[in-house]
Amino acid sequence: DIQLTQSPSFLSASVGDRVTITCRASQGLSTYLAWYQQKPGTAPKLLIYGISTLQSGVPSRFSGSGSGTEFTLTISSLQPEDFATYYCQQFKNFVFIFGPGTKVEIK
Amino acid sequence: QITLKESGPTLVKPTQTLTLTCTFSGFSLSTSGAGVAWIRQPPGKALEWLGIIYWDEDKRYSPSLKSRLTVTKGTSKNQVVLKMTNMDPVDTATYYCAHSLFGYCSGSSCATFDNWGQGLLVTVSS
């Protein structure tokens, strides 16, 4: 079974910082790699799909990249509304898998 | 505009079967490529995909929970039902349903969950 890990699991950052979150897989992944943002008490929100395509309405400060077993989500300039937990998600062999999440908090 | 909403019991006893309904609007589950998935999240923990039903009645389940899960289309054409047997306190979680596309989604958010319900917290306790 494919396992996803995310690093870091927690990060403390300031408004304006550049933030990078990494999602690694135990084996090679398909291009069906997505990222979600979740704020407390709310449902997750799709940010990026297909590794690097921004979902409609998502600010351009979010970007995604990667291939094979390592993928990244980058926030170019952290804004107050970006403090949340971020999850990667993979789809392979008709199974969906989520990463364990990265919590981004205010420094 | 796609909307989804989960409904069902918020408290179930151990060993009981949980039945949740997802009522949706803004899309048709008869449209090629459309799917409705179930995802859960224990308090303070990560998301876990449970299962999905597609427009063509194809159903897929989490390998670790497959023996306990059934996802079906509801009696209304805009509903999907999740059944999970033999509930245990570790199954306490917020249960979400979500819209997904696969197979007929070139240029769209294939194999993701692009619209979610608000979630329903289900507690398993005697």
Side-chain angles (χ1 to χ4, degrees):
Chain A
D1 292 352
I2 297 175
Q3 304 292 326
L4 295 181
T5 60
Q6 287 183 232
S7 60
S9 55
F10 172 87
L11 74 87
S12 181
S14 300
V15 172
D17 284 353
R18 181 181 181 88
V19 167
T20 298
I21 299 168
T22 300
C23 177
R24 292 186 177 90
S26 56
Q27 55 181 275
L29 301 181
S30 70
T31 57
Y32 296 119
L33 192 286
W35 291 93
Y36 298 82
Q37 176 193 67
Q38 186 179 32
K39 297 181 181 179
T42 69
K45 171 188 173 183
L46 177 65
L47 296 178
I48 288 172
Y49 61 91
I51 301 176
S52 60
T53 302
L54 241 57
Q55 176 71 337
S56 176
V58 173
S60 59
R61 63 181 179 273
F62 291 91
S63 64
S65 64
S67 64
T69 60
E70 187 166 312
F71 299 85
T72 59
L73 170 70
T74 299
I75 309 172
S76 60
S77 177
L78 201 63
Q79 298 302 300
E81 60 268 30
D82 301 336
F83 292 95
T85 300
Y86 294 85
Y87 296 93
C88 58
Q89 173 250 307
Q90 163 71 178
F91 174 77
K92 189 171 184 181
N93 298 329
F94 287 95
V95 173
F96 295 87
I97 304 163
F98 286 96
T102 295
K103 187 172 185 180
V104 177
E105 289 200 343
I106 302 173
K107 182 181 285 184
Chain B
Q1 179 194 2
I2 291 175
T3 65
L4 306 99
K5 187 174 183 179
E6 307 84 358
S7 60
T10 57
L11 178 65
V12 297
K13 290 180 167 46
T15 76
Q16 286 186 335
T17 295
L18 172 68
T19 300
L20 295 178
T21 299
C22 177
T23 302
F24 57 86
S25 63
F27 70 96
S28 170
L29 200 45
S30 300
T31 300
S32 297
V36 173
W38 289 93
I39 299 122
R40 71 178 180 179
Q41 185 172 39
K45 296 189 177 181
L47 301 164
E48 179 182 23
W49 171 70
L50 301 177
I52 190 167
I53 184 167
Y54 290 104
W55 62 282
D56 58 357
E57 301 275 358
D58 187 23
K59 303 165 191 177
R60 304 286 175 160
Y61 298 103
S62 165
S64 63
L65 292 167
K66 185 175 183 177
S67 63
R68 299 174 53 205
L69 296 172
T70 305
V71 179
T72 58
K73 292 183 178 179
T75 53
S76 298
K77 63 180 181 180
N78 65 334
Q79 290 185 330
V80 167
V81 176
L82 170 74
K83 289 186 186 292
M84 178 179 285
T85 61
N86 195 26
M87 293 292 284
D88 182 271
V90 300
D91 297 312
T92 293
T94 295
Y95 287 75
Y96 296 99
C97 61
H99 172 262
S100 186
L101 291 171
F102 187 70
Y104 294 82
C105 50
S106 175
S108 299
S109 52
C110 291
T112 68
F113 309 113
D114 54 13
N115 287 273
W116 296 64
Q118 64 189 27
L120 183 70
L121 175 60
V122 177
T123 301
V124 184
S125 174
S126 54

